[in-house]
Amino acid sequence: MNDKDSLYQDAIKEFARAAHGHGQLAAATGEAKLDNPLCGDRVRMQVSVTSGHVAAIAHETKGCLLCRAAASVIGLHAAGQDANGIEAVAHDLEGMLQEGAPVPPGWPELSMFEPARRYPSRHGCVLLPFRALLAAMAESEMKRVQR
Amino acid sequence: MNTMDTPLRDGFPLLAASPDLHYLDSAATSQIHRSALDAVARHETTCRANVSRGTYRLAEAADRAYEQARQTVARFLNAGAAGEVIFTSGATASLNLVAHAFGNTLKAGDRVLISVAEHHSNFVPWQMLRDRTGIELALIPVTDAGQLDLARLPELITGNCRLVAVTQCSNVTGAWTDVATLVEAARKVGAKVLLDGAQAVQHGPQDVRALGIDFYAFSGHKCFGPGGVGVLWGREELLAKLSPFHTGGGMIGEVTPQATTWAPPPQRFEAGTPPIAQAVGLAAALEWMMTLDWQQIHARESRLCELLVDGLLRIPALRLLGPESSAARAPIVSFDIPGLHPHDICQVLDARNLALRGGHHCAQPLMAALGIDVCTRASIALYNDETDILALLDGLSFALRELA
């Protein structure tokens, strides 16, 4: 099996190790904590949204390599995206995992999760950080509207 | 390929058809024995009818099979009477039944004592009872070795304690509970004792009278039987005083527009059509279990457990959860390797035909008490042998390299 076909290819391990975006924001506008009850993965995602776009994110992720690598990809790419853009990536990523749809445009690193398609019980691990990001952005928007 | 004791392994169709599979997740679900499968098929093809309702011969055959299954369970448990055996959908349903039916006899301020080591199915029903009725819910802590800390009993079994409901054997650490000490302490204050036997039953027949307890719960799918069936055993005089949990057909004495009276136990607690064929299949599995030499099986399981523990303790940084002594534990071995997530470990092991469970094992309070979120668990049953253990130890070495 080529490394790129392996679930635990080097890219995943490297992204998990790099933990892009790990930490906390001093002034988050939205935050969400999500668990995967199946395995105990836990993501705390903070966002700072300015003019509808992500200015910064930070996450604290306790979980498997797939979950930590997915959170790390978010740390690399989320800045500058608006809610629609994040929703589209999450939707496309789900399609890639479940139906073999193309890798979400603009997020080429997500191709490293293509081998996870064969393991449906692990899809939630990859998607959890994206769901946490969407929830954090929703909370940010709710707070903005209430102000 | 497994080569030892193939007659035992060959009795399990899935294992016989998968000679390269190292199944080490029997604490979650054991494999089904051929006798249980055959009994289910035979019942469904020769006796399928509803029970306790029909007068035609087929229905009477179904009645006989179902009640014979009850008698078999009673023998497996050494119960005083078959009427003390209630068929449920599983141990979870059995535990919920007690939490409601016995729970209805409790009042605010009464105490129920459980332990930190409980599976969620013996934890959440009592939390909900507490929230509904205002009972006190107290917890027996665990020692560093993951055993119930019974030294704390004097302060925990207070005069208002009405029930002690604990696991007979932890589904995470494998630690056996010292039931005799627990029962003695409970009796001093008149408290009843419920044992969650879900993990114990696959390691041999039980004796509820010798244990001195009041309720016992287990699942069929964890003792080589079918899924969808479980048992609640309760002392006859105690069951007679309890109101039903679920209501509906089959559990009534008389229904009038004004009121309903209850059937006697066990029917009082078996509303609706019970899992008939599953009960028959469970009885076949238990009949088979009662023919085995359990002293020999326990010796073998202990030997495998020691082999596994010895191998695990050679892995740097690995933390073994639960007692190191195989005498103090069922052959359920959980461990934590810092920096490696159990799901990743289990995924890598799966590629080598090793089936293990990783996660919180529906025991999050115990995980918190042990200072972890998740762990990896290998559980050994009577069909496992040395090749399974050696494959696991070899697989773990591979996983450590693969995931580094």
Side-chain angles (χ1 to χ4, degrees):
Chain A
M1 188 182 283
N2 293 325
D3 182 60
K4 69 181 181 57
D5 296 324
S6 164
L7 185 59
Y8 293 107
Q9 54 191 266
D10 290 343
I12 285 183
K13 288 184 268 188
E14 283 161 14
F15 262 90
R17 206 174 293 127
H20 300 294
H22 172 77
Q24 293 185 26
L25 293 180
T29 58
E31 178 177 327
K33 286 183 197 169
L34 288 192
D35 293 334
N36 181 345
L38 176 71
C39 59
D41 285 353
R42 184 167 294 166
V43 177
R44 178 191 184 202
M45 185 71 69
Q46 292 181 306
V47 289
S48 172
V49 178
T50 307
S51 304
H53 290 74
V54 175
I57 72 108
H59 64 86
E60 291 174 318
T61 303
K62 288 173 76 174
C64 65
L65 280 171
L66 302 186
C67 186
R68 285 159 46 212
S72 185
V73 174
I74 286 174
L76 198 63
H77 276 297
Q81 300 276 338
D82 62 10
N84 288 339
I86 297 293
E87 269 180 34
V89 172
H91 177 267
D92 291 350
L93 178 60
E94 199 165 348
M96 182 189 93
L97 290 169
Q98 293 178 357
E99 295 150 25
V103 178
W107 295 61
E109 293 86 354
L110 293 178
S111 66
M112 66 185 166
F113 296 113
E114 282 184 312
R117 191 181 169 206
R118 300 194 298 271
Y119 308 101
S121 64
R122 307 301 303 276
H123 294 178
C125 307
V126 181
L127 293 168
L128 188 68
F130 286 86
R131 289 174 177 150
L133 176 57
L134 286 168
M137 292 187 74
E139 195 207 49
S140 176
E141 176 62 11
M142 192 175 69
K143 283 183 176 172
R144 186 191 68 77
V145 171
Q146 286 171 349
R147 274 199 300 269
Chain B
M1 177 178 296
N2 293 75
T3 54
M4 294 183 60
D5 298 310
T6 47
L8 260 187
R9 190 176 164 102
D10 283 351
F12 294 85
L14 184 141
L15 298 177
S18 315
D20 294 327
L21 174 64
H22 302 288
Y23 188 75
L24 291 163
D25 196 21
S26 296
T29 286
S30 65
Q31 291 303 324
I32 187 168
H33 190 256
R34 190 184 302 281
S35 64
L37 262 183
D38 291 348
V40 171
R42 193 164 52 245
H43 180 86
E44 295 288 37
T45 51
T46 61
C47 297
R48 185 180 166 90
N50 215 327
V51 291
S52 311
R53 286 155 176 73
T55 55
Y56 49 91
R57 282 168 294 166
L58 187 65
E60 287 182 343
D63 277 345
R64 273 196 302 276
Y66 186 60
E67 294 307 324
Q68 277 169 8
R70 202 187 299 280
Q71 287 173 14
T72 301
V73 175
R75 274 194 291 119
F76 181 81
L77 296 177
N78 193 29
E84 295 182 327
V85 172
I86 298 161
F87 284 116
T88 66
S89 63
T92 296
S94 301
L95 295 165
N96 274 275
L97 196 166
V98 180
H100 280 78
F102 186 81
N104 282 341
T105 70
L106 304 180
K107 60 183 187 307
D110 285 345
R111 171 172 286 209
V112 170
L113 180 61
I114 60 174
S115 86
V116 167
E118 299 312 306
H119 188 283
H120 293 165
S121 58
N122 195 35
F123 209 108
V124 181
W126 304 109
Q127 282 184 326
M128 292 188 72
L129 178 69
R130 177 199 62 195
D131 296 346
R132 278 199 312 275
T133 66
I135 62 153
E136 290 177 12
L137 183 59
L139 299 178
I140 303 171
V142 290
T143 64
D144 291 343
Q147 293 173 294
L148 302 201
D149 188 356
L150 298 190
R152 301 283 301 279
L153 281 184
E155 67 194 85
L156 290 168
I157 300 194
T158 45
N160 60 339
C161 186
R162 298 286 172 263
L163 179 72
V164 180
V166 296
T167 183
Q168 189 179 8
C169 164
S170 165
N171 71 312
V172 177
T173 67
W176 290 106
T177 297
D178 177 357
V179 179
T181 298
L182 203 77
V183 168
E184 187 185 351
R187 291 292 178 246
K188 282 182 183 164
V189 298
K192 306 300 182 195
V193 178
L194 159 65
L195 268 194
D196 173 1
Q199 293 302 330
V201 282
Q202 70 176 252
H203 302 293
Q206 302 296 316
D207 187 336
V208 289
R209 284 189 284 182
L211 286 167
I213 56 174
D214 301 287
F215 297 107
Y216 192 84
F218 72 94
S219 293
H221 73 99
K222 283 187 166 72
C223 53
F224 317 114
V229 65
V231 166
L232 173 68
W233 168 84
R235 285 186 186 274
E236 199 167 28
E237 67 276 15
L238 197 50
L239 293 177
K241 292 179 190 163
L242 301 182
S243 299
F245 171 29
H246 290 141
T247 55
M251 50 71 67
I252 56 95
E254 183 186 19
V255 179
T256 68
Q258 289 74 36
T260 298
T261 61
W262 316 128
Q267 285 77 20
R268 183 184 301 171
F269 303 102
E270 294 182 351
T273 297
I276 305 164
Q278 292 92 329
V280 170
L282 169 61
L286 300 184
E287 287 282 10
W288 171 73
M289 286 180 73
M290 286 189 280
T291 67
L292 302 176
D293 180 345
W294 283 97
Q295 203 174 354
Q296 191 182 57
I297 291 170
H298 289 158
R300 211 169 84 90
E301 288 180 343
S302 289
R303 202 173 65 244
L304 295 180
C305 191
E306 284 165 12
L307 180 66
L308 176 56
V309 168
D310 286 349
L312 290 175
L313 290 176
R314 290 198 182 94
I315 297 175
L318 180 142
R319 178 185 169 199
L320 182 76
L321 306 173
E324 284 189 27
S325 158
S326 64
R329 73 191 308 158
I332 298 171
V333 182
S334 294
F335 55 89
D336 174 47
I337 305 176
L340 293 188
H341 193 280
H343 265 202
D344 295 324
I345 294 172
C346 291
Q347 192 85 56
V348 172
L349 294 176
D350 175 54
R352 297 166 78 94
N353 292 319
L354 283 147
L356 276 79
R357 175 68 65 91
H360 54 57
H361 308 287
C362 300
Q364 287 182 310
L366 177 60
M367 294 287 115
L370 296 172
I372 53 177
D373 294 314
V374 287
C375 62
T376 307
R377 179 184 72 190
S379 46
I380 296 164
L382 47 73
Y383 36 64
N384 291 117
D385 65 19
E386 278 84 350
T387 59
D388 296 319
I389 308 304
L390 296 176
L392 171 55
L393 293 172
D394 189 48
L396 279 172
S397 298
F398 175 75
L400 288 168
R401 293 194 301 274
E402 176 80 356
L403 297 171

